[in-house]
Amino acid sequence: MKKIAENLQLVQSRIDSAAASCQRNSSEIRLLAVSKTKPAALVREALTCGQREFAENYLQDALPKIGELADESLVWHYIGQIQSNKTRDIAAHFDWVHSIDRLKIGQRLSAQRGPDQKPLQCCIQINVSGEVQKGGVEPDQLMKLAAALAELPRLQLRGLMVIGSNTKDNDITRSEFERARTLFEAMQTQYPSVDTLSMGMSADLEAAIVCGSTMVRIGTDIFGARQ
Ligand SMILES: *Cc1c(COP(=O)(O)O)cnc(C)c1O
């Protein structure tokens, strides 16, 4: 496997060329390094290259890592499915949550966020693929959920998170991402705090950027394949 420094550079240059291809400024697109299943030592290696934002989706795997790296000023994003009994730890240890898909989870996160912590930065996960096993709120329920979350005192609503279908068909990916962009723009007209479209992974970051992504979540192409 190539060194993480080199991988980060390659990913950044893919972001730069995708942005250039659609006349966007690549400084509008934040790179999250998805460190799930990878040890704290690799997170540190990425950190020495200037990468400060990391994403995790297994709590048991994330908490020791976050603890080990507590001496560093990192930004931690939770991107996994959320069960009710996990909200307390998520609210305590993460800066962002991308995967809220029902009100009850938002209410618990808000209630459990410490009074001395910054509000938890939140995205709603949307299901634009129609696959039932996928997490995410259905598009026709989005605005109702957004309105309720926007009222919660310890959350700040920042936008939408989308996971593209696992397909090699670029047309399918594009149409899902375009759908997400339309929904994101509808949210932006109502909520001034909404500025984040979390969309794009190792395999589809170019399509995501062309469709308006402001945050890409890259694991494999930074840290290598997972077991
Ligand atoms: C694992 C994961 C990623 C990163 O996927 P790669 O294909 O390894 O880049 C991004 N987003 C979510 C929600 C994930 O679970």
Side-chain angles (χ1 to χ4, degrees), residues 15-59:
I15 293 172
D16 295 344
S17 8
S21 79
C22 55
Q23 285 81 47
R24 294 185 62 196
N25 189 331
S26 64
S27 66
E28 295 165 16
I29 301 147
R30 276 160 80 174
L31 170 59
L32 304 192
V34 180
S35 47
K36 64 184 181 198
T37 80
K38 301 295 180 182
L42 289 190
V43 174
R44 271 197 206 279
E45 198 174 325
L47 176 59
T48 61
C49 310
Q51 179 66 34
R52 300 215 153 259
E53 302 206 61
F54 295 90
E56 291 282 334
N57 68 347
Y58 309 110
L59 203 52

Side-chain angles (χ1 to χ4, degrees), residues 22-108:
C22 55
Q23 285 81 47
R24 294 185 62 196
N25 189 331
S26 64
S27 66
E28 295 165 16
I29 301 147
R30 276 160 80 174
L31 170 59
L32 304 192
V34 180
S35 47
K36 64 184 181 198
T37 80
K38 301 295 180 182
L42 289 190
V43 174
R44 271 197 206 279
E45 198 174 325
L47 176 59
T48 61
C49 310
Q51 179 66 34
R52 300 215 153 259
E53 302 206 61
F54 295 90
E56 291 282 334
N57 68 347
Y58 309 110
L59 203 52
Q60 299 87 319
D61 170 44
L63 293 180
K65 233 183 280 184
I66 293 174
E68 228 175 292
L69 294 157
D71 55 324
E72 304 286 355
S73 66
L74 303 183
V75 180
W76 289 101
H77 297 249
Y78 188 80
I79 59 175
Q81 289 198 357
I82 310 175
Q83 289 130 343
S84 293
N85 63 351
K86 301 286 163 59
T87 53
R88 184 171 299 279
D89 279 332
I90 294 171
H93 298 287
F94 284 84
D95 304 289
W96 282 71
V97 174
H98 292 228
S99 40
I100 297 182
D101 62 358
R102 53 197 197 278
L103 180 57
K104 183 181 166 201
I105 295 295
Q107 287 168 330
R108 291 178 62 95

Side-chain angles (χ1 to χ4, degrees), residues 34 36 57 79 161 163 201-203 217-221 226:
V34 180
K36 64 184 181 198
N57 68 347
I79 59 175
M161 191 270 266
I163 303 176
M201 316 196 337
S202 294
R217 310 176 308 269
I218 309 299
T220 307
D221 285 358
R226 293 174 295 272

Side-chain angles (χ1 to χ4, degrees), residues 167-210:
T167 172
K168 290 201 167 21
D169 186 337
N170 217 4
D171 291 342
I172 295 177
T173 303
R174 280 284 193 115
S175 72
E176 290 175 359
F177 286 174
E178 287 294 353
R179 182 112 195 263
R181 185 221 298 253
T182 303
L183 295 163
F184 171 65
E185 287 172 350
M187 269 174 92
Q188 278 189 302
T189 65
Q190 300 205 19
Y191 304 102
S193 60
V194 167
D195 60 0
T196 301
L197 181 54
S198 166
M199 183 164 88
M201 316 196 337
S202 294
D204 54 21
L205 86 84
E206 283 83 2
I209 288 171
V210 169

